């Protein structure tokens, strides 16, 4: 066991644990014969090989060539133990030689004596799959796929004619079929979906006929061009790879090289009595070709089979399927376009409706704003009217109070001439002890329109105060404490110009501009002027006129 690495020793221990302490040399020889695969060694010892998963196909036997029969199960059951026993001493002997040569550091090839046994070949586990096999095929044959060869020929040809390109393709460029690099299942789905013929090519490099098949059949220009022109899906692989081995098991390939053609065909025998009258087509193996490239798998034989038998028999049905698929695709595209147009129309209609609704909302908002503004203006006008009426009531009350209780002083009074906003003038004598409030009240009373008769003036103020001078000044100062601009005018001396603002508790004799009498001008505050009607005289009103 010294020449075994860690992985091989683990595999040996696992196998001995399974078979309950088998002979070490026998276990090593068995593991070595199966590439140190414990599961395959167990299958070999217990004669229970794993059963591959088979894919169900409809088989068209009309053009299938006879293939050599497989050995019977009884013959395999008898022959396998004989060859296994025969291989054991050879394995032991080879292990001894390898151990001796290993100690002497002499390289020695490994001989696998399982090739003398009667066991079926197992695929090698590879990660390249069809892609790697196609690359190896191109390197081995020096050819390229026909689509690449056509592109190269057209690019290098001089002039626009494609005849030169075709001659280059035939004379200079070796071509291979356009192999599909997907999995076997993907190729079958492509054949079903696109209603195309599939060509499955399986080889095994352990067979002597495979190299000649690659050189003569797979690079034959006529055969390759036939596959290309007829739009046949080509897929291939080496059965030593897992994917190709699985395909070989499903197609029941026994000899290599192996070529099979598959395509959709009508289901011939319904499986149940309730089967539909027009069952869906099923993927069918149309023909199998296996054997040397000088016979069943030669390019001429395969080309003749395609042109004379398979294509005339299969093409009409596939053309009908393709037409149905094209019609369904056209209907699908048409429905998609109609749906897209409907959605676009619905979107435009929705946008138009939303725009109209937005315009209506904006119009309604403008109307509501205008109505609210008009209502606010109306309320302001009503408030202004009420304010005017209240001020007019105050002025008439002041006029009545002053006319009934105010008398000019005997002597020492302040003679004041007042210029009214309407252009009229009035002269009045005030006692120096009178307040500034009485002067403003006198001026305010002069602003009552002359059309209103003094006899109709109210006897009480709007605040409910009595009609006397003391109560009047008290009410006015109380009113002015909350509204300083209540008067709506101010008094200004004519020359020199000096404003005399209203202040509570101020005596007229204490105001410098009024000492010895003065001429005052009434200026309305805030640009508001009241229209006053002239009294019809020269504009002067004196105390003698009242007498």
């Amino acid at each position: 066991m010294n020449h075994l690495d860690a992985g091989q020793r683990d595999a040996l221990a696992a196998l001995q644990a399974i078979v309950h302490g088998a002979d070490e040399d026998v276990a090593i020889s068995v593991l070595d014969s199966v590439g140190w695969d414990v599961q395959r060694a167990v299958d070999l010892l217990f004669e229970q090989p794993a059963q591959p998963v088979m894919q169900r196909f409809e088989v068209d036997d009309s053009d299938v060539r006879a293939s050599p029969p497989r050995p019977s199960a009884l013959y395999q059951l008898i022959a396998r133990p004989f060859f296994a026993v025969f291989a054991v001493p050879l394995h032991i002997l080879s292990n001894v030689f390898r151990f001796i040569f290993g100690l002497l550091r002499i390289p020695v090839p490994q001989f696998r004596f399982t090739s003398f046994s009667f066991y079926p070949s197992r695929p090698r586990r590879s990660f390249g799959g069809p892609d790697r096999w196609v690359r190896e095929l191109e390197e081995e044959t020096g050819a390229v796929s026909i689509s690449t060869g056509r592109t190269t020929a057209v690019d290098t040809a001089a002039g626009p004619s494609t005849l030169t390109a075709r001659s280059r393709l035939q004379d200079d460029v070796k071509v291979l079929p356009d192999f599909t690099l997907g999995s076997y299942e993907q190729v079958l789905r492509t054949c079903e979906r696109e209603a195309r013929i599939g060509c499955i090519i399986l080889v095994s490099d352990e067979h002597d006929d495979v190299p000649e098949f690659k050189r003569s059949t797979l690079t034959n220009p006529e055969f390759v061009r036939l596959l290309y022109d007829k739009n046949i899906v080509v897929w291939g692989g080496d059965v030593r790879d897992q994917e190709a081995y699985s395909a070989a098991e499903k197609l029941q390939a026994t000899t290599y090289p192996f070529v099979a053609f598959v395509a959709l065909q009508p289901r011939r025998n319904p499986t149940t009595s309730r089967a539909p009258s027009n069952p869906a087509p099923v993927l069918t193996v149309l023909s199998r070709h296996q054997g040397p490239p000088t016979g069943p798998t030669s390019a001429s034989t395969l080309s003749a089979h395609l042109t004379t038998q398979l294509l005339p028999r299969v093409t009409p049905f596939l053309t009908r399927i393709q037409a149905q698929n094209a019609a369904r695709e056209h209907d699908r595209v048409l429905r998609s376009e109609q749906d897209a147009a409907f959605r676009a129309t619905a979107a435009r209609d929705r946008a138009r409706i939303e725009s109209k609704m937005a315009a209506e909302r904006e119009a309604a908002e403008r109307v509501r704003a205008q109505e609210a503004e008009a209502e606010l203006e109306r309320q302001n006008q009503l408030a202004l009217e009420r304010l005017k009426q209240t001020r007019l009531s105050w002025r008439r009350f002041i006029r009545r109070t002053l006319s009934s209780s105010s008398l000019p002083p005997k002597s020492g009074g302040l003679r004041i001439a007042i210029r009214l906003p309407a252009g009229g003038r009035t002269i009045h004598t005030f006692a120096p002890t009178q307040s500034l409030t009485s002067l403003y009240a006198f001026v305010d009373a002069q602003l009552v329109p002359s059309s209103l008769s003094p006899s109709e003036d109210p006897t009480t103020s709007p605040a409910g105060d009595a009609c006397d001078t003391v109560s009047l000044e008290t009410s006015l100062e109380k009113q002015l404490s909350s509204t300083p601009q209540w008067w709506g005018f101010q008094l200004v001396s004519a020359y020199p110009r000096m404003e005399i603002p209203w202040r509570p508790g101020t005596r007229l004799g204490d105001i410098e501009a009024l000492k010895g009498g003065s001429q005052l001008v009434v200026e309305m505050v805030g640009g508001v002027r009241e229209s006053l009607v002239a009294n019809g005289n020269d504009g002067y009103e004196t105390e003698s006129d009242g007498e």
Side-chain angles (χ1 to χ4, degrees):
M1 290 181 56
N2 294 331
H3 64 283
L4 302 178
D5 56 24
Q8 291 173 341
R9 284 195 292 270
D10 293 341
L12 177 60
L15 181 60
Q16 288 179 329
I18 294 174
V19 298
H20 304 290
D23 183 79
E24 183 176 303
D25 293 335
V26 175
I28 291 175
S29 63
V30 173
L31 286 171
D32 186 74
S33 66
V34 296
W36 296 91
D37 188 333
V38 176
Q39 183 61 44
R40 291 173 58 187
V42 173
D43 294 341
L44 181 62
L45 292 175
F46 290 97
E47 295 296 330
Q48 293 179 355
Q51 296 296 325
V53 179
M54 303 298 292
Q55 181 175 358
R56 182 173 181 177
F57 279 98
E58 291 282 343
V59 180
D60 188 349
D61 297 327
S62 58
D63 295 310
V64 178
R65 285 165 171 71
S67 58
R70 292 186 174 184
S72 64
L74 180 61
Y75 181 65
Q76 294 182 19
L77 184 62
I78 297 175
R80 283 185 179 180
F82 172 76
F83 282 103
V85 173
F86 175 73
V88 168
L90 296 179
H91 277 295
I92 295 174
L93 184 62
S94 66
N95 289 333
V96 172
F97 275 104
R98 280 202 305 273
F99 176 72
I100 295 174
F101 280 93
L103 293 178
L104 299 177
R105 298 184 179 277
I106 299 176
V108 61
Q110 291 187 1
F111 297 98
R112 299 292 181 88
F113 293 100
T114 51
S115 59
F116 298 104
S117 66
F118 196 66
Y119 299 108
S121 60
R122 297 278 182 169
R124 57 183 170 91
R125 301 288 180 171
S126 66
F127 299 95
D131 189 7
R132 188 180 69 176
W133 181 76
V134 171
R135 289 198 305 268
E136 293 175 352
L137 180 62
E138 291 178 347
E139 294 173 358
E140 181 179 351
T141 60
V144 295
S145 66
I146 185 171
S147 58
T148 306
R150 286 177 178 268
T151 303
T152 306
V154 171
D155 292 341
T156 58
S161 175
T162 57
L163 296 176
T164 304
R166 291 173 182 172
S167 64
R168 280 183 175 272
L169 179 61
Q170 295 175 2
D171 299 335
D172 302 334
V173 181
K174 294 178 65 176
V175 292
L176 290 169
D178 274 337
F179 285 97
T180 301
L181 300 182
S183 65
Y184 176 68
E185 299 296 334
Q186 291 174 345
V187 171
L188 297 183
R189 286 195 294 270
T190 301
C191 294
E192 289 180 336
R193 182 177 62 255
E194 301 179 7
R196 296 166 61 185
I197 300 174
C199 176
I200 311 300
I201 300 174
L202 300 175
V203 298
S204 175
D205 286 344
E206 297 178 354
H207 289 71
D208 296 334
D209 295 330
V210 169
E212 179 62 25
F213 172 76
K214 294 178 179 177
R215 290 190 300 267
S216 61
T217 301
L218 295 185
T219 60
N220 182 271
E222 288 76 12
F223 177 63
V224 173
R225 185 178 293 105
L226 180 62
L227 295 176
Y228 181 82
D229 294 341
K230 299 303 180 181
N231 198 23
I232 296 176
V233 182
V234 184
W235 185 86
D238 193 322
V239 293
R240 294 178 301 171
D241 295 331
Q242 182 63 37
E243 190 70 29
Y245 176 77
S246 176
E249 290 293 322
K250 295 172 183 178
L251 293 172
Q252 301 178 5
T254 58
T255 304
Y256 303 99
F258 175 87
V259 180
F261 294 97
V262 298
L264 287 176
Q265 287 292 280
R267 193 185 299 272
R268 291 183 295 181
N269 297 319
T271 56
T272 62
S273 59
R274 296 183 179 180
S277 58
N278 188 19
V282 65
L283 200 62
T284 304
V285 179
L286 302 176
S287 62
R288 295 187 184 90
H289 310 267
Q290 49 193 351
T294 57
T297 58
S298 65
S300 58
T301 302
L302 295 175
S303 300
H305 171 72
L306 284 173
T307 55
T308 61
Q309 299 182 32
L310 192 143
L311 290 175
R313 179 164 53 89
V314 176
T315 301
F317 178 75
L318 295 182
T319 302
R320 186 166 64 253
I321 295 297
Q322 292 171 357
Q324 294 174 357
N325 293 341
R328 284 195 295 270
E329 179 65 18
H330 178 267
D331 293 340
R332 187 192 65 80
V333 173
L334 182 60
R335 286 194 300 270
S336 178
E337 293 176 352
Q338 291 175 348
D339 293 342
F342 175 77
R343 288 192 296 270
T345 302
R348 288 194 299 270
D349 294 342
R350 183 168 55 255
R352 185 169 58 252
I353 293 172
E354 291 177 353
S355 177
K356 184 177 180 180
M357 293 175 63
E360 292 177 353
R361 285 195 299 268
E362 291 178 0
E365 289 292 336
R366 286 195 299 270
V367 171
R368 283 195 294 268
Q370 292 174 358
E371 292 177 352
E373 184 178 358
E375 179 64 19
L376 181 60
E377 182 67 20
R378 189 179 68 83
Q379 294 295 335
N380 291 338
Q381 290 295 334
L382 291 176
L384 183 59
E385 290 296 329
R386 286 194 298 268
L387 179 61
K388 287 182 178 180
Q389 293 296 328
T390 302
R391 286 292 288 118
L392 183 59
S393 300
W394 272 104
R395 285 171 180 167
R396 296 184 68 182
F397 171 73
I398 293 172
R399 184 175 67 174
R400 184 180 185 89
T401 302
L402 293 178
S403 62
S404 62
S405 61
S406 177
L407 295 175
K410 298 293 183 178
S411 62
L414 300 176
R415 186 178 177 85
I416 300 176
I418 302 171
R419 179 81 174 179
L420 299 175
R425 295 184 64 189
T426 182
I427 300 173
H428 189 75
T429 302
F430 294 88
T433 58
Q434 286 185 277
S435 65
L436 186 58
T437 302
S438 62
L439 174 60
Y440 266 81
F442 176 80
V443 175
D444 195 46
Q446 304 305 312
L447 299 179
V448 178
S450 59
S451 59
L452 298 177
S453 174
S455 61
E456 297 178 358
D457 290 343
T459 58
T460 59
S461 69
D465 298 327
C467 182
D468 58 78
T469 304
V470 178
S471 299
L472 175 62
E473 292 187 4
T474 303
S475 298
L476 291 177
E477 291 181 359
K478 181 179 178 181
Q479 185 74 21
L480 290 167
S481 63
S482 60
T483 311
Q485 300 296 330
W486 185 80
W487 294 112
F489 62 87
Q490 66 179 355
L491 299 177
V492 182
S493 61
Y495 184 83
R497 176 179 172 82
M498 181 183 298
E499 294 182 357
I500 305 175
W502 177 85
R503 294 188 299 272
T506 303
R507 294 172 49 182
L508 295 178
D510 296 335
I511 300 174
E512 187 67 26
L514 299 181
K515 290 180 178 181
S518 179
Q519 293 186 7
L520 302 179
V521 178
V522 180
E523 293 182 353
M524 305 304 294
V525 177
V528 179
R529 294 183 176 272
E530 296 184 31
S531 298
L532 300 177
V533 180
N535 293 328
N537 51 16
D538 57 0
Y540 288 93
E541 181 180 338
T542 63
E543 295 176 359
S544 60
D545 294 337
E547 297 174 358

